[in-house]
Every structure is written in structure tokens, then in C-alpha cells.
PDB file of all heavy atoms in Angstrom:
ATOM      1  N   VAL U   1      79.737 114.104 105.442  1.00 96.00           N
ATOM      2  CA  VAL U   1      78.525 113.285 105.303  1.00 96.00           C
ATOM      3  C   VAL U   1      77.909 113.515 103.926  1.00 96.00           C
ATOM      4  O   VAL U   1      77.518 112.563 103.241  1.00 96.00           O
ATOM      5  CB  VAL U   1      77.520 113.599 106.439  1.00 96.00           C
ATOM      6  CG1 VAL U   1      76.169 112.949 106.175  1.00 96.00           C
ATOM      7  CG2 VAL U   1      78.072 113.154 107.783  1.00 96.00           C
ATOM      8  N   ALA U   2      77.825 114.773 103.518  1.00 96.00           N
ATOM      9  CA  ALA U   2      77.260 115.078 102.195  1.00 96.00           C
ATOM     10  C   ALA U   2      78.083 114.432 101.083  1.00 96.00           C
ATOM     11  O   ALA U   2      77.522 113.934 100.098  1.00 96.00           O
ATOM     12  CB  ALA U   2      77.191 116.593 101.992  1.00 96.00           C
ATOM     13  N   ALA U   3      79.405 114.419 101.237  1.00 95.00           N
ATOM     14  CA  ALA U   3      80.287 113.845 100.213  1.00 95.00           C
ATOM     15  C   ALA U   3      80.021 112.360  99.985  1.00 95.00           C
ATOM     16  O   ALA U   3      80.178 111.867  98.864  1.00 95.00           O
ATOM     17  CB  ALA U   3      81.748 114.071 100.593  1.00 95.00           C
ATOM     18  N   ILE U   4      79.623 111.656 101.028  1.00 95.00           N
ATOM     19  CA  ILE U   4      79.283 110.233 100.873  1.00 95.00           C
ATOM     20  C   ILE U   4      78.154 110.079  99.866  1.00 95.00           C
ATOM     21  O   ILE U   4      78.180 109.196  99.002  1.00 95.00           O
ATOM     22  CB  ILE U   4      78.916 109.608 102.240  1.00 95.00           C
ATOM     23  CG1 ILE U   4      80.144 109.590 103.148  1.00 95.00           C
ATOM     24  CG2 ILE U   4      78.314 108.218 102.067  1.00 95.00           C
ATOM     25  CD1 ILE U   4      79.846 109.252 104.598  1.00 95.00           C
ATOM     26  N   PHE U   5      77.152 110.951  99.961  1.00 95.00           N
ATOM     27  CA  PHE U   5      76.009 110.860  99.053  1.00 95.00           C
ATOM     28  C   PHE U   5      76.362 111.361  97.659  1.00 95.00           C
ATOM     29  O   PHE U   5      75.821 110.869  96.663  1.00 95.00           O
ATOM     30  CB  PHE U   5      74.809 111.592  99.655  1.00 95.00           C
ATOM     31  CG  PHE U   5      74.263 110.850 100.842  1.00 95.00           C
ATOM     32  CD1 PHE U   5      74.781 111.069 102.106  1.00 95.00           C
ATOM     33  CD2 PHE U   5      73.280 109.897 100.685  1.00 95.00           C
ATOM     34  CE1 PHE U   5      74.309 110.355 103.198  1.00 95.00           C
ATOM     35  CE2 PHE U   5      72.802 109.173 101.765  1.00 95.00           C
ATOM     36  CZ  PHE U   5      73.325 109.408 103.023  1.00 95.00           C
ATOM     37  N   TRP U   6      77.269 112.322  97.565  1.00 95.00           N
ATOM     38  CA  TRP U   6      77.766 112.751  96.256  1.00 95.00           C
ATOM     39  C   TRP U   6      78.503 111.575  95.593  1.00 95.00           C
ATOM     40  O   TRP U   6      78.303 111.306  94.412  1.00 95.00           O
ATOM     41  CB  TRP U   6      78.726 113.941  96.404  1.00 95.00           C
ATOM     42  CG  TRP U   6      78.035 115.252  96.587  1.00 95.00           C
ATOM     43  CD1 TRP U   6      77.538 115.765  97.747  1.00 95.00           C
ATOM     44  CD2 TRP U   6      77.761 116.212  95.583  1.00 95.00           C
ATOM     45  NE1 TRP U   6      76.979 116.990  97.522  1.00 95.00           N
ATOM     46  CE2 TRP U   6      77.106 117.297  96.193  1.00 95.00           C
ATOM     47  CE3 TRP U   6      78.018 116.265  94.217  1.00 95.00           C
ATOM     48  CZ2 TRP U   6      76.695 118.413  95.497  1.00 95.00           C
ATOM     49  CZ3 TRP U   6      77.611 117.392  93.521  1.00 95.00           C
ATOM     50  CH2 TRP U   6      76.955 118.449  94.150  1.00 95.00           C
ATOM     51  N   ALA U   7      79.333 110.884  96.368  1.00 94.00           N
ATOM     52  CA  ALA U   7      80.080 109.738  95.829  1.00 94.00           C
ATOM     53  C   ALA U   7      79.120 108.641  95.382  1.00 94.00           C
ATOM     54  O   ALA U   7      79.325 108.013  94.327  1.00 94.00           O
ATOM     55  CB  ALA U   7      81.053 109.203  96.872  1.00 94.00           C
ATOM     56  N   GLY U   8      78.088 108.412  96.179  1.00 93.00           N
ATOM     57  CA  GLY U   8      77.095 107.402  95.802  1.00 93.00           C
ATOM     58  C   GLY U   8      76.384 107.753  94.520  1.00 93.00           C
ATOM     59  O   GLY U   8      76.194 106.901  93.639  1.00 93.00           O
ATOM     60  N   LEU U   9      76.015 109.004  94.371  1.00 93.00           N
ATOM     61  CA  LEU U   9      75.329 109.452  93.159  1.00 93.00           C
ATOM     62  C   LEU U   9      76.223 109.281  91.939  1.00 93.00           C
ATOM     63  O   LEU U   9      75.799 108.734  90.915  1.00 93.00           O
ATOM     64  CB  LEU U   9      74.915 110.922  93.308  1.00 93.00           C
ATOM     65  CG  LEU U   9      74.135 111.483  92.119  1.00 93.00           C
ATOM     66  CD1 LEU U   9      72.680 111.023  92.190  1.00 93.00           C
ATOM     67  CD2 LEU U   9      74.209 112.999  92.100  1.00 93.00           C
ATOM     68  N   VAL U  10      77.456 109.712  92.042  1.00 93.00           N
ATOM     69  CA  VAL U  10      78.385 109.611  90.915  1.00 93.00           C
ATOM     70  C   VAL U  10      78.645 108.141  90.569  1.00 93.00           C
ATOM     71  O   VAL U  10      78.558 107.730  89.406  1.00 93.00           O
ATOM     72  CB  VAL U  10      79.710 110.356  91.219  1.00 93.00           C
ATOM     73  CG1 VAL U  10      80.776 110.035  90.187  1.00 93.00           C
ATOM     74  CG2 VAL U  10      79.461 111.861  91.307  1.00 93.00           C
ATOM     75  N   THR U  11      78.953 107.336  91.591  1.00 92.00           N
ATOM     76  CA  THR U  11      79.288 105.928  91.361  1.00 92.00           C
ATOM     77  C   THR U  11      78.131 105.144  90.760  1.00 92.00           C
ATOM     78  O   THR U  11      78.300 104.435  89.761  1.00 92.00           O
ATOM     79  CB  THR U  11      79.719 105.263  92.683  1.00 92.00           C
ATOM     80  OG1 THR U  11      80.833 105.970  93.206  1.00 92.00           O
ATOM     81  CG2 THR U  11      80.059 103.802  92.494  1.00 92.00           C
ATOM     82  N   GLN U  12      76.963 105.264  91.381  1.00 92.00           N
ATOM     83  CA  GLN U  12      75.849 104.393  91.001  1.00 92.00           C
ATOM     84  C   GLN U  12      74.990 104.972  89.878  1.00 92.00           C
ATOM     85  O   GLN U  12      74.672 104.272  88.920  1.00 92.00           O
ATOM     86  CB  GLN U  12      74.982 104.106  92.233  1.00 92.00           C
ATOM     87  CG  GLN U  12      73.868 103.101  91.957  1.00 92.00           C
ATOM     88  CD  GLN U  12      73.203 102.635  93.230  1.00 92.00           C
ATOM     89  OE1 GLN U  12      73.897 102.299  94.183  1.00 92.00           O
ATOM     90  NE2 GLN U  12      71.886 102.625  93.249  1.00 92.00           N
ATOM     91  N   VAL U  13      74.609 106.233  89.986  1.00 86.00           N
ATOM     92  CA  VAL U  13      73.668 106.790  89.008  1.00 86.00           C
ATOM     93  C   VAL U  13      74.381 107.236  87.739  1.00 86.00           C
ATOM     94  O   VAL U  13      73.925 106.966  86.628  1.00 86.00           O
ATOM     95  CB  VAL U  13      72.859 107.952  89.633  1.00 86.00           C
ATOM     96  CG1 VAL U  13      71.936 108.603  88.624  1.00 86.00           C
ATOM     97  CG2 VAL U  13      72.067 107.455  90.843  1.00 86.00           C
ATOM     98  N   MET U  14      75.524 107.903  87.880  1.00 88.00           N
ATOM     99  CA  MET U  14      76.191 108.443  86.695  1.00 88.00           C
ATOM    100  C   MET U  14      77.046 107.403  85.973  1.00 88.00           C
ATOM    101  O   MET U  14      77.112 107.389  84.743  1.00 88.00           O
ATOM    102  CB  MET U  14      77.030 109.661  87.075  1.00 88.00           C
ATOM    103  CG  MET U  14      76.170 110.800  87.629  1.00 88.00           C
ATOM    104  SD  MET U  14      77.127 112.186  88.185  1.00 88.00           S
ATOM    105  CE  MET U  14      77.035 113.208  86.736  1.00 88.00           C
ATOM    106  N   PHE U  15      77.732 106.528  86.751  1.00 89.00           N
ATOM    107  CA  PHE U  15      78.612 105.541  86.118  1.00 89.00           C
ATOM    108  C   PHE U  15      78.045 104.130  86.111  1.00 89.00           C
ATOM    109  O   PHE U  15      78.687 103.211  85.614  1.00 89.00           O
ATOM    110  CB  PHE U  15      79.987 105.541  86.802  1.00 89.00           C
ATOM    111  CG  PHE U  15      80.772 106.808  86.559  1.00 89.00           C
ATOM    112  CD1 PHE U  15      81.385 107.456  87.611  1.00 89.00           C
ATOM    113  CD2 PHE U  15      80.905 107.330  85.286  1.00 89.00           C
ATOM    114  CE1 PHE U  15      82.107 108.619  87.404  1.00 89.00           C
ATOM    115  CE2 PHE U  15      81.627 108.499  85.062  1.00 89.00           C
ATOM    116  CZ  PHE U  15      82.225 109.151  86.126  1.00 89.00           C
ATOM    117  N   GLY U  16      76.867 103.935  86.689  1.00 87.00           N
ATOM    118  CA  GLY U  16      76.211 102.631  86.633  1.00 87.00           C
ATOM    119  C   GLY U  16      76.801 101.568  87.529  1.00 87.00           C
ATOM    120  O   GLY U  16      76.460 100.393  87.402  1.00 87.00           O
ATOM    121  N   GLY U  17      77.682 101.949  88.427  1.00 88.00           N
ATOM    122  CA  GLY U  17      78.261 100.982  89.352  1.00 88.00           C
ATOM    123  C   GLY U  17      77.317 100.703  90.517  1.00 88.00           C
ATOM    124  O   GLY U  17      76.164 101.123  90.533  1.00 88.00           O
ATOM    125  N   GLN U  18      77.840  99.979  91.481  1.00 87.00           N
ATOM    126  CA  GLN U  18      77.068  99.651  92.676  1.00 87.00           C
ATOM    127  C   GLN U  18      77.717 100.384  93.843  1.00 87.00           C
ATOM    128  O   GLN U  18      78.919 100.294  94.044  1.00 87.00           O
ATOM    129  CB  GLN U  18      77.104  98.137  92.908  1.00 87.00           C
ATOM    130  CG  GLN U  18      76.382  97.703  94.155  1.00 87.00           C
ATOM    131  CD  GLN U  18      76.405  96.179  94.309  1.00 87.00           C
ATOM    132  OE1 GLN U  18      76.193  95.453  93.349  1.00 87.00           O
ATOM    133  NE2 GLN U  18      76.682  95.740  95.518  1.00 87.00           N
ATOM    134  N   PHE U  19      76.905 101.119  94.621  1.00 86.00           N
ATOM    135  CA  PHE U  19      77.431 101.862  95.756  1.00 86.00           C
ATOM    136  C   PHE U  19      77.041 101.142  97.035  1.00 86.00           C
ATOM    137  O   PHE U  19      75.887 101.153  97.450  1.00 86.00           O
ATOM    138  CB  PHE U  19      76.909 103.304  95.752  1.00 86.00           C
ATOM    139  CG  PHE U  19      77.568 104.173  96.787  1.00 86.00           C
ATOM    140  CD1 PHE U  19      78.895 104.555  96.666  1.00 86.00           C
ATOM    141  CD2 PHE U  19      76.870 104.598  97.902  1.00 86.00           C
ATOM    142  CE1 PHE U  19      79.512 105.348  97.616  1.00 86.00           C
ATOM    143  CE2 PHE U  19      77.477 105.397  98.860  1.00 86.00           C
ATOM    144  CZ  PHE U  19      78.798 105.771  98.718  1.00 86.00           C
ATOM    145  N   GLY U  20      78.012 100.486  97.654  1.00 85.00           N
ATOM    146  CA  GLY U  20      77.777  99.762  98.900  1.00 85.00           C
ATOM    147  C   GLY U  20      77.463  98.310  98.671  1.00 85.00           C
ATOM    148  O   GLY U  20      77.282  97.844  97.546  1.00 85.00           O
ATOM    149  N   ASP U  21      77.405  97.553  99.785  1.00 85.00           N
ATOM    150  CA  ASP U  21      77.135  96.118  99.727  1.00 85.00           C
ATOM    151  C   ASP U  21      75.666  95.798  99.465  1.00 85.00           C
ATOM    152  O   ASP U  21      75.328  94.752  98.942  1.00 85.00           O
ATOM    153  CB  ASP U  21      77.546  95.446 101.046  1.00 85.00           C
ATOM    154  CG  ASP U  21      79.043  95.500 101.266  1.00 85.00           C
ATOM    155  OD1 ASP U  21      79.786  95.618 100.268  1.00 85.00           O
ATOM    156  OD2 ASP U  21      79.466  95.441 102.432  1.00 85.00           O
ATOM    157  N   ASN U  22      74.801  96.694  99.895  1.00 87.00           N
ATOM    158  CA  ASN U  22      73.368  96.488  99.749  1.00 87.00           C
ATOM    159  C   ASN U  22      72.767  97.788  99.203  1.00 87.00           C
ATOM    160  O   ASN U  22      72.107  98.518  99.924  1.00 87.00           O
ATOM    161  CB  ASN U  22      72.757  96.113 101.107  1.00 87.00           C
ATOM    162  CG  ASN U  22      71.326  95.666 100.998  1.00 87.00           C
ATOM    163  OD1 ASN U  22      70.823  95.412  99.914  1.00 87.00           O
ATOM    164  ND2 ASN U  22      70.660  95.599 102.139  1.00 87.00           N
ATOM    165  N   PRO U  23      73.009  98.092  97.915  1.00 86.00           N
ATOM    166  CA  PRO U  23      72.646  99.413  97.379  1.00 86.00           C
ATOM    167  C   PRO U  23      71.134  99.625  97.296  1.00 86.00           C
ATOM    168  O   PRO U  23      70.371  98.692  97.076  1.00 86.00           O
ATOM    169  CB  PRO U  23      73.275  99.417  95.989  1.00 86.00           C
ATOM    170  CG  PRO U  23      73.404  97.996  95.613  1.00 86.00           C
ATOM    171  CD  PRO U  23      73.622  97.243  96.900  1.00 86.00           C
ATOM    172  N   VAL U  24      70.746 100.883  97.472  1.00 89.00           N
ATOM    173  CA  VAL U  24      69.357 101.267  97.266  1.00 89.00           C
ATOM    174  C   VAL U  24      69.168 101.490  95.770  1.00 89.00           C
ATOM    175  O   VAL U  24      70.135 101.524  94.999  1.00 89.00           O
ATOM    176  CB  VAL U  24      69.005 102.550  98.060  1.00 89.00           C
ATOM    177  CG1 VAL U  24      69.120 102.310  99.551  1.00 89.00           C
ATOM    178  CG2 VAL U  24      69.858 103.731  97.638  1.00 89.00           C
ATOM    179  N   SER U  25      67.923 101.661  95.340  1.00 92.00           N
ATOM    180  CA  SER U  25      67.663 101.917  93.919  1.00 92.00           C
ATOM    181  C   SER U  25      68.200 103.297  93.548  1.00 92.00           C
ATOM    182  O   SER U  25      68.470 104.131  94.416  1.00 92.00           O
ATOM    183  CB  SER U  25      66.157 101.844  93.639  1.00 92.00           C
ATOM    184  OG  SER U  25      65.514 102.981  94.190  1.00 92.00           O
ATOM    185  N   ASP U  26      68.347 103.530  92.262  1.00 92.00           N
ATOM    186  CA  ASP U  26      68.824 104.834  91.785  1.00 92.00           C
ATOM    187  C   ASP U  26      67.897 105.958  92.236  1.00 92.00           C
ATOM    188  O   ASP U  26      68.353 107.028  92.629  1.00 92.00           O
ATOM    189  CB  ASP U  26      68.955 104.844  90.263  1.00 92.00           C
ATOM    190  CG  ASP U  26      70.146 104.024  89.770  1.00 92.00           C
ATOM    191  OD1 ASP U  26      70.891 103.485  90.620  1.00 92.00           O
ATOM    192  OD2 ASP U  26      70.327 103.937  88.539  1.00 92.00           O
ATOM    193  N   VAL U  27      66.591 105.725  92.177  1.00 94.00           N
ATOM    194  CA  VAL U  27      65.617 106.749  92.580  1.00 94.00           C
ATOM    195  C   VAL U  27      65.782 107.063  94.066  1.00 94.00           C
ATOM    196  O   VAL U  27      65.803 108.234  94.468  1.00 94.00           O
ATOM    197  CB  VAL U  27      64.171 106.291  92.266  1.00 94.00           C
ATOM    198  CG1 VAL U  27      63.146 107.242  92.872  1.00 94.00           C
ATOM    199  CG2 VAL U  27      63.970 106.168  90.765  1.00 94.00           C
ATOM    200  N   GLU U  28      65.898 106.024  94.880  1.00 93.00           N
ATOM    201  CA  GLU U  28      66.090 106.250  96.322  1.00 93.00           C
ATOM    202  C   GLU U  28      67.406 106.986  96.586  1.00 93.00           C
ATOM    203  O   GLU U  28      67.465 107.865  97.451  1.00 93.00           O
ATOM    204  CB  GLU U  28      66.081 104.918  97.074  1.00 93.00           C
ATOM    205  CG  GLU U  28      64.731 104.234  97.096  1.00 93.00           C
ATOM    206  CD  GLU U  28      64.803 102.811  97.625  1.00 93.00           C
ATOM    207  OE1 GLU U  28      65.763 102.089  97.286  1.00 93.00           O
ATOM    208  OE2 GLU U  28      63.878 102.425  98.379  1.00 93.00           O
ATOM    209  N   LEU U  29      68.431 106.650  95.852  1.00 93.00           N
ATOM    210  CA  LEU U  29      69.725 107.305  96.035  1.00 93.00           C
ATOM    211  C   LEU U  29      69.656 108.783  95.641  1.00 93.00           C
ATOM    212  O   LEU U  29      70.221 109.642  96.324  1.00 93.00           O
ATOM    213  CB  LEU U  29      70.822 106.596  95.241  1.00 93.00           C
ATOM    214  CG  LEU U  29      72.243 107.106  95.478  1.00 93.00           C
ATOM    215  CD1 LEU U  29      72.619 107.043  96.950  1.00 93.00           C
ATOM    216  CD2 LEU U  29      73.235 106.301  94.649  1.00 93.00           C
ATOM    217  N   VAL U  30      68.942 109.090  94.576  1.00 94.00           N
ATOM    218  CA  VAL U  30      68.775 110.489  94.174  1.00 94.00           C
ATOM    219  C   VAL U  30      68.012 111.254  95.257  1.00 94.00           C
ATOM    220  O   VAL U  30      68.370 112.387  95.600  1.00 94.00           O
ATOM    221  CB  VAL U  30      68.078 110.604  92.797  1.00 94.00           C
ATOM    222  CG1 VAL U  30      67.645 112.038  92.505  1.00 94.00           C
ATOM    223  CG2 VAL U  30      68.984 110.085  91.698  1.00 94.00           C
ATOM    224  N   ILE U  31      66.979 110.646  95.820  1.00 95.00           N
ATOM    225  CA  ILE U  31      66.217 111.292  96.899  1.00 95.00           C
ATOM    226  C   ILE U  31      67.118 111.522  98.115  1.00 95.00           C
ATOM    227  O   ILE U  31      67.122 112.609  98.702  1.00 95.00           O
ATOM    228  CB  ILE U  31      64.972 110.447  97.273  1.00 95.00           C
ATOM    229  CG1 ILE U  31      63.960 110.480  96.125  1.00 95.00           C
ATOM    230  CG2 ILE U  31      64.340 110.942  98.580  1.00 95.00           C
ATOM    231  CD1 ILE U  31      62.833 109.476  96.252  1.00 95.00           C
ATOM    232  N   LEU U  32      67.907 110.516  98.488  1.00 94.00           N
ATOM    233  CA  LEU U  32      68.844 110.669  99.611  1.00 94.00           C
ATOM    234  C   LEU U  32      69.902 111.730  99.312  1.00 94.00           C
ATOM    235  O   LEU U  32      70.282 112.507 100.181  1.00 94.00           O
ATOM    236  CB  LEU U  32      69.508 109.333  99.939  1.00 94.00           C
ATOM    237  CG  LEU U  32      68.624 108.302 100.634  1.00 94.00           C
ATOM    238  CD1 LEU U  32      69.320 106.938 100.655  1.00 94.00           C
ATOM    239  CD2 LEU U  32      68.293 108.763 102.036  1.00 94.00           C
ATOM    240  N   PHE U  33      70.372 111.755  98.063  1.00 95.00           N
ATOM    241  CA  PHE U  33      71.353 112.756  97.661  1.00 95.00           C
ATOM    242  C   PHE U  33      70.794 114.164  97.817  1.00 95.00           C
ATOM    243  O   PHE U  33      71.454 115.055  98.351  1.00 95.00           O
ATOM    244  CB  PHE U  33      71.788 112.525  96.211  1.00 95.00           C
ATOM    245  CG  PHE U  33      72.519 113.693  95.622  1.00 95.00           C
ATOM    246  CD1 PHE U  33      73.830 113.951  95.982  1.00 95.00           C
ATOM    247  CD2 PHE U  33      71.884 114.555  94.742  1.00 95.00           C
ATOM    248  CE1 PHE U  33      74.513 115.045  95.450  1.00 95.00           C
ATOM    249  CE2 PHE U  33      72.553 115.648  94.209  1.00 95.00           C
ATOM    250  CZ  PHE U  33      73.867 115.893  94.567  1.00 95.00           C
ATOM    251  N   VAL U  34      69.574 114.379  97.360  1.00 96.00           N
ATOM    252  CA  VAL U  34      68.961 115.709  97.473  1.00 96.00           C
ATOM    253  C   VAL U  34      68.773 116.070  98.950  1.00 96.00           C
ATOM    254  O   VAL U  34      69.101 117.187  99.364  1.00 96.00           O
ATOM    255  CB  VAL U  34      67.626 115.772  96.703  1.00 96.00           C
ATOM    256  CG1 VAL U  34      66.861 117.051  97.020  1.00 96.00           C
ATOM    257  CG2 VAL U  34      67.873 115.653  95.202  1.00 96.00           C
ATOM    258  N   ALA U  35      68.288 115.112  99.750  1.00 95.00           N
ATOM    259  CA  ALA U  35      68.033 115.389 101.165  1.00 95.00           C
ATOM    260  C   ALA U  35      69.319 115.610 101.962  1.00 95.00           C
ATOM    261  O   ALA U  35      69.427 116.569 102.723  1.00 95.00           O
ATOM    262  CB  ALA U  35      67.224 114.250 101.781  1.00 95.00           C
ATOM    263  N   VAL U  36      70.297 114.737 101.785  1.00 95.00           N
ATOM    264  CA  VAL U  36      71.501 114.795 102.618  1.00 95.00           C
ATOM    265  C   VAL U  36      72.667 115.463 101.891  1.00 95.00           C
ATOM    266  O   VAL U  36      73.359 116.301 102.474  1.00 95.00           O
ATOM    267  CB  VAL U  36      71.902 113.376 103.102  1.00 95.00           C
ATOM    268  CG1 VAL U  36      73.130 113.447 103.987  1.00 95.00           C
ATOM    269  CG2 VAL U  36      70.753 112.708 103.845  1.00 95.00           C
ATOM    270  N   GLY U  37      72.876 115.120 100.639  1.00 96.00           N
ATOM    271  CA  GLY U  37      74.014 115.671  99.896  1.00 96.00           C
ATOM    272  C   GLY U  37      73.867 117.154  99.602  1.00 96.00           C
ATOM    273  O   GLY U  37      74.858 117.881  99.551  1.00 96.00           O
ATOM    274  N   LEU U  38      72.641 117.603  99.391  1.00 96.00           N
ATOM    275  CA  LEU U  38      72.384 119.019  99.142  1.00 96.00           C
ATOM    276  C   LEU U  38      71.685 119.684 100.327  1.00 96.00           C
ATOM    277  O   LEU U  38      72.034 120.786 100.735  1.00 96.00           O
ATOM    278  CB  LEU U  38      71.528 119.200  97.881  1.00 96.00           C
ATOM    279  CG  LEU U  38      72.125 118.733  96.562  1.00 96.00           C
ATOM    280  CD1 LEU U  38      71.104 118.874  95.437  1.00 96.00           C
ATOM    281  CD2 LEU U  38      73.394 119.507  96.244  1.00 96.00           C
ATOM    282  N   GLY U  39      70.671 119.012 100.864  1.00 95.00           N
ATOM    283  CA  GLY U  39      69.837 119.598 101.917  1.00 95.00           C
ATOM    284  C   GLY U  39      70.554 119.851 103.230  1.00 95.00           C
ATOM    285  O   GLY U  39      70.383 120.912 103.839  1.00 95.00           O
ATOM    286  N   LEU U  40      71.363 118.910 103.660  1.00 95.00           N
ATOM    287  CA  LEU U  40      72.059 119.071 104.945  1.00 95.00           C
ATOM    288  C   LEU U  40      73.012 120.263 104.939  1.00 95.00           C
ATOM    289  O   LEU U  40      72.928 121.125 105.825  1.00 95.00           O
ATOM    290  CB  LEU U  40      72.788 117.784 105.333  1.00 95.00           C
ATOM    291  CG  LEU U  40      73.491 117.794 106.687  1.00 95.00           C
ATOM    292  CD1 LEU U  40      72.470 117.842 107.824  1.00 95.00           C
ATOM    293  CD2 LEU U  40      74.371 116.555 106.824  1.00 95.00           C
ATOM    294  N   PRO U  41      73.902 120.389 103.952  1.00 96.00           N
ATOM    295  CA  PRO U  41      74.762 121.581 103.929  1.00 96.00           C
ATOM    296  C   PRO U  41      73.963 122.880 103.804  1.00 96.00           C
ATOM    297  O   PRO U  41      74.277 123.878 104.447  1.00 96.00           O
ATOM    298  CB  PRO U  41      75.660 121.378 102.714  1.00 96.00           C
ATOM    299  CG  PRO U  41      75.621 119.929 102.437  1.00 96.00           C
ATOM    300  CD  PRO U  41      74.279 119.448 102.895  1.00 96.00           C
ATOM    301  N   TYR U  42      72.925 122.880 102.990  1.00 94.00           N
ATOM    302  CA  TYR U  42      72.098 124.073 102.830  1.00 94.00           C
ATOM    303  C   TYR U  42      71.426 124.451 104.148  1.00 94.00           C
ATOM    304  O   TYR U  42      71.383 125.626 104.527  1.00 94.00           O
ATOM    305  CB  TYR U  42      71.055 123.848 101.736  1.00 94.00           C
ATOM    306  CG  TYR U  42      70.182 125.056 101.488  1.00 94.00           C
ATOM    307  CD1 TYR U  42      70.676 126.142 100.779  1.00 94.00           C
ATOM    308  CD2 TYR U  42      68.886 125.110 101.967  1.00 94.00           C
ATOM    309  CE1 TYR U  42      69.889 127.263 100.549  1.00 94.00           C
ATOM    310  CE2 TYR U  42      68.091 126.223 101.747  1.00 94.00           C
ATOM    311  CZ  TYR U  42      68.600 127.299 101.045  1.00 94.00           C
ATOM    312  OH  TYR U  42      67.815 128.401 100.827  1.00 94.00           O
ATOM    313  N   PHE U  43      70.911 123.454 104.854  1.00 93.00           N
ATOM    314  CA  PHE U  43      70.252 123.668 106.148  1.00 93.00           C
ATOM    315  C   PHE U  43      71.222 124.326 107.133  1.00 93.00           C
ATOM    316  O   PHE U  43      70.887 125.316 107.781  1.00 93.00           O
ATOM    317  CB  PHE U  43      69.750 122.323 106.692  1.00 93.00           C
ATOM    318  CG  PHE U  43      69.090 122.412 108.032  1.00 93.00           C
ATOM    319  CD1 PHE U  43      67.808 122.920 108.155  1.00 93.00           C
ATOM    320  CD2 PHE U  43      69.741 121.955 109.161  1.00 93.00           C
ATOM    321  CE1 PHE U  43      67.191 122.987 109.392  1.00 93.00           C
ATOM    322  CE2 PHE U  43      69.133 122.022 110.403  1.00 93.00           C
ATOM    323  CZ  PHE U  43      67.849 122.532 110.520  1.00 93.00           C
TER     324      PHE U  43
END
């Protein structure tokens, strides 16, 4: 699950692509990445 958000961050924020059919904004994706991509495994 965390890897999905890592992939989204890399694809959309770092490489400027679009992640998914209905992508969230970069800011929202970074927030989701911190919460799920980092927070879930840490929890």
C-alpha cells in the first residue's frame, strides 16, 4: 500500500507525470504520501 503512494509521488511530483485517471494535486499527493507512504509503515 505504501509503495503505491511512493510510485505516485515519483511519477507525479518528481517527474511531472499524471498518477491515475483522476489525479489529486501535487500538494494533496505529498500529504497522502506522508500519511500513507511513510506514516502507515512507521505506525
Side-chain angles (χ1 to χ4, degrees):
V1 170
I4 294 169
F5 290 87
W6 280 82
L9 182 79
V10 169
T11 302
Q12 185 169 313
V13 177
M14 298 176 96
F15 292 133
Q18 178 178 316
F19 188 70
D21 294 336
N22 189 12
V24 296
S25 72
D26 287 358
V27 171
E28 291 170 320
L29 186 56
V30 168
I31 291 168
L32 287 169
F33 166 75
V34 170
V36 181
L38 297 175
L40 183 68
Y42 181 76
F43 178 76

